[in-house]
Amino acid sequence: MDDEITTTVGRDFYTFDGRVLEVFGGNPIRFHVRHLHLSVTGPDRKGRRVVTITHGRPELPGGSHIWRYTAEEWERASGLAALLETVQAAIQSAAEHHPA
């Protein structure tokens, strides 16, 4: 990946350069694709979704960060779904090329 992907969701600014996902907002955080797990659940019957990012490996998980989005917030978050799909693909690629 050569280009940075960015999106803004509410007060948070997400950026992904192919290796590092950064979320700037109240408490900025960084995640490297070789050391994170991403889960997006939903939509539930009201259209809500939950994004969970966990540091570490499946067998040794670290801290988790959870974002909850209403259906309206998810719709207004232009580009978030595509950014998260790109991050998930990078995680899978890193796991294939650098097995634990």
Side-chain angles (χ1 to χ4, degrees), residues 6-84:
T6 64
T7 191
T8 300
V9 182
R11 298 179 328 196
D12 293 333
F13 177 72
Y14 290 70
T15 179
F16 182 63
D17 68 0
R19 293 178 308 131
V20 176
L21 170 65
E22 296 180 274
V23 182
F24 298 96
N27 295 310
I29 47 179
R30 300 178 74 190
F31 308 92
H32 194 282
V33 294
R34 289 186 56 197
H35 199 66
L36 79 94
H37 299 278
L38 170 67
S39 167
V40 179
T41 60
D44 67 8
R45 62 184 177 82
K46 292 187 176 183
R48 296 176 293 217
R49 297 177 193 262
V50 177
V51 175
T52 304
I53 298 176
T54 304
H55 288 281
R57 300 185 310 263
E59 65 278 8
L60 296 170
S64 292
H65 300 273
I66 301 170
W67 292 268
R68 291 176 173 78
Y69 299 103
T70 65
E72 182 181 347
E73 289 169 329
W74 188 262
E75 287 298 316
R76 283 192 324 236
S78 175
L80 179 60
L83 181 140
L84 295 174

